[in-house]
Amino acid sequence: MESKTLSDGEIRQQASLSSQQEQQPVQEKKSIGRMLIDNVKEPGSALQIVIAAALAIAIGLIVTSTTDSIPPAVAPLIGIPGTLWLRSLKAVVLPLIICSMILAVQKLKEMTSGKARKLGIATIVYYVGTTVLAIVHSIIMTALVWRNLMVVASRESLVLSDDDAEKYEERTEVKIESVVVQMFESFIPSNVVNALATDSLLAVLVTSVIVGALIKGPTSHLLKVIIEVEKIILRVITWLIKVAPIGVFFLILPNMFKLNLADIGTNLGILIGGSLSGMALHLFIVLPIVFFAFTRKNPYAYWFKCSPAWTTAWGTASSAATLPVTLNVARARGVPRTVVDFAVPLGCLINMDGTAIYFPVVVVFMAATQGITLGPTDYIIILLLSTLASIGTTPIPSSSLVLTVMIAQSVNVPLTGMYAVVVAIDWFIDRFRTAVNVSGDLFAADVMRKYTGITDSDDDYEEADVGNVATTTAIDRV
């Protein structure tokens, strides 16, 4: 048997390959090291948003702790860049919902084997189910743990000021039946133009679904216009994402000037701790278990790669303003456009897990500070009303304050000066509620992908020339 002799060229080639294999681990280490730097340099990346938020918090704490009084004009003037950025995000929400829902319904009409019906029913059941789970574990934790740590407040702190009394009297006029009627009325607008002008998102969504169902076929000229409009919206969103760190910084900093560290007593600390711990339990244990049960994927890796969405949600405190980012991030994670365009806008309006967790904690807080002990029947009422209220809450900052009054009144918890404390700190907790709400929408999108088996073919609606979202490119390399 003849032995094959290697030529000098082949020997050099093998030596070169061996050398490359030895150097590969070093190159991989270098790429991982450079990855974070690239992420920081990436315009609008999640790390940039986190750094901007941390800087705003640090500067705000330093100023409030070293300055006796801050002129009232400082906060609104400093907040102008953040306000303009937030208004820009909100400006694209309505046209984005309209385009997304119409295109999603058109795609669902083309599907066979009942996938469209399956997606619709499963999405609603999932959102309501996770909301109930959120309220149940929040009530259990509040009743067994946090209630026992709260103390009765002093008589002076329970007294309402004259100005606050007039404001809260208006909020106590909100009745349960009014909320129920208003929720159903919000499905059908009496005037479509007025619904668009007043940001009635649920009415706009329902109208968009009906229009999408009535458009006949992909050859419709109206459908082509909608596709072109969506392309323009996505280009605008891409630019807004790139300047997100600037917007988040100037949104948080003015709010930090409102924080008075001396006012954070034991009860308020427990309220914040109870709310945040309930949200953490839901976000890092309950939702990941549900997500893994359906998809068999690592929920924490998925959540981390979706960080541009929930960091933007934390900065804006608005699920509606974050919706453009949430849609793009979900698509970048490989969730089919049809699922994303249907499930995410719907979740933005009815999936408020973070808000649902907060309602029991704040109602028990107002009861405990007055020495009132709630019974099992009261907790059942809180469960039912929290579910209804969280679905009926508008996806804008601090919209839950009025509904909190309704739930408290339903279990005979009167308003006192402690509600003023709740209002004062709501802007802070609201950011975490919004981050949980948006995270829930992102988990739901991939769960619906797996459950329904829906996939987008290569010849689906033509993508806008935005590629993957700029904010996710660096994270994708992790």
Side-chain angles (χ1 to χ4, degrees):
M1 187 174 183
E2 293 184 2
S3 61
K4 186 175 180 180
T5 305
L6 296 177
S7 65
D8 292 342
E10 291 174 330
I11 293 174
R12 285 194 299 269
Q13 185 178 5
Q14 286 189 356
S16 175
L17 290 173
S18 177
S19 176
Q20 289 177 2
Q21 290 174 354
E22 292 176 358
Q23 292 178 0
Q24 186 175 0
V26 178
Q27 291 175 351
E28 288 180 356
K29 290 181 180 179
K30 288 182 180 179
S31 64
I32 294 174
R34 293 177 57 186
M35 180 182 54
L36 292 177
I37 298 176
D38 293 339
N39 199 350
V40 173
K41 292 180 179 179
E42 186 75 34
S45 68
L47 279 182
Q48 280 192 356
I49 295 174
V50 171
I51 292 171
L55 284 174
I57 293 172
I59 294 173
L61 289 176
I62 292 172
V63 172
T64 53
S65 60
T66 57
T67 306
D68 294 333
S69 63
I70 300 174
V74 171
L77 290 176
I78 290 180
I80 288 176
T83 302
L84 294 178
W85 178 73
L86 185 60
R87 288 172 65 89
S88 301
L89 273 177
K90 289 181 177 179
V92 299
V93 168
L94 275 180
L96 184 61
I97 288 178
I98 294 171
C99 294
S100 297
M101 294 306 298
I102 290 176
L103 295 179
V105 171
Q106 276 290 302
K107 195 61 189 167
L108 291 174
K109 285 173 61 179
E110 299 175 6
M111 292 181 180
T112 56
S113 69
K115 287 186 177 180
R117 183 171 178 269
K118 189 176 184 181
L119 175 63
I121 296 175
T123 303
I124 295 174
V125 170
Y126 178 89
Y127 283 146
V128 175
T130 55
T131 298
V132 172
L133 278 176
I135 298 171
V136 168
H137 73 67
S138 177
I139 289 176
I140 293 173
M141 288 290 293
T142 302
L144 298 182
V145 180
W146 304 115
R147 171 63 182 85
N148 298 326
L149 299 177
M150 297 176 184
V151 296
V152 179
S154 63
R155 182 175 299 178
E156 293 79 9
S157 62
L158 295 177
V159 177
L160 280 170
S161 66
D162 293 337
D163 293 337
D164 288 340
E166 183 178 352
K167 183 192 304 181
Y168 303 149
E169 186 177 353
E170 296 176 358
R171 293 180 177 178
T172 56
E173 295 175 358
V174 179
K175 304 299 182 182
I176 299 175
E177 59 272 19
S178 301
V179 174
V180 175
V181 172
Q182 185 178 4
M183 185 184 70
F184 281 100
E185 287 180 347
S186 65
F187 288 116
I188 307 298
S190 59
N191 186 319
V192 176
V193 176
N194 182 65
L196 292 169
T198 57
D199 287 345
S200 301
L201 299 183
L202 195 56
V204 171
L205 184 143
V206 172
T207 304
S208 302
V209 170
I210 295 173
V211 172
L214 295 177
I215 293 178
K216 294 183 178 180
T219 59
S220 169
H221 295 295
L222 178 59
L223 190 62
K224 294 177 181 178
V225 171
I226 293 171
I227 293 173
E228 291 300 320
V229 171
E230 189 189 38
K231 291 180 182 180
I232 296 172
I233 295 171
L234 291 178
R235 291 191 179 98
V236 173
I237 292 169
T238 301
W239 184 84
L240 290 175
I241 291 173
K242 290 181 179 180
V243 297
I246 299 173
V248 169
F249 177 86
F250 285 103
L251 279 175
I252 295 176
L253 185 58
N255 281 301
M256 292 302 299
F257 293 156
K258 303 176 185 177
L259 182 63
N260 188 349
L261 297 178
D263 290 341
I264 302 180
T266 301
N267 284 327
L268 189 54
I270 294 172
L271 171 62
I272 296 173
S275 302
L276 298 187
S277 64
M279 295 176 199
L281 174 66
H282 191 69
L283 179 58
F284 298 120
I285 297 180
V286 176
L287 288 180
I289 289 175
V290 175
F291 180 83
F292 180 78
F294 280 94
T295 66
R296 300 301 179 188
K297 291 166 61 176
N298 186 332
Y300 304 106
Y302 176 83
W303 181 76
F304 178 75
K305 289 183 177 181
C306 293
S307 57
W310 51 260
T311 51
T312 302
W314 192 89
T316 62
S318 172
S319 299
T322 311
L323 180 60
V325 184
T326 310
L327 286 168
N328 280 335
V329 168
R331 291 167 184 163
R333 296 273 56 81
V335 182
R337 287 178 58 91
T338 305
V339 176
V340 172
D341 290 350
F342 179 83
V344 174
L346 183 62
C348 173
L349 300 177
I350 71 171
N351 184 40
M352 302 286 179
D353 292 351
T355 305
I357 292 168
Y358 179 67
F359 282 136
V361 181
V362 72
V363 172
V364 171
F365 166 79
M366 289 193 292
T369 52
Q370 301 177 65
I372 299 174
T373 301
L374 300 178
T377 305
D378 296 321
Y379 283 114
I380 293 175
I381 294 174
I382 291 175
L383 169 64
L384 296 176
L385 292 182
S386 296
T387 304
L388 174 64
S390 62
I391 294 174
T393 302
T394 55
I396 59 176
S398 299
S399 59
S400 59
L401 288 174
V402 176
L403 294 173
T404 299
V405 175
M406 179 200 72
I407 299 174
Q409 293 291 315
S410 300
V411 291
N412 299 316
V413 175
L415 289 180
T416 65
M418 296 309 294
Y419 184 67
V421 177
V422 173
V423 174
I425 201 66
D426 187 75
W427 67 269
F428 176 74
I429 300 179
D430 193 30
R431 299 182 180 279
F432 293 92
R433 293 199 301 258
T434 307
V436 173
N437 294 341
V438 170
S439 298
D441 297 342
L442 290 164
F443 279 127
D446 205 49
V447 169
M448 291 302 106
R449 172 198 62 81
K450 181 67 175 180
Y451 179 73
T452 61
I454 293 175
T455 58
D456 280 343
S457 58
D458 295 334
D459 59 349
D460 283 337
Y461 306 116
E462 185 180 354
E463 298 282 352
D465 188 20
V466 293
N468 286 338
V469 184
T471 53
T472 60
T473 52
I475 295 177
D476 287 341
R477 291 194 288 268
V478 176

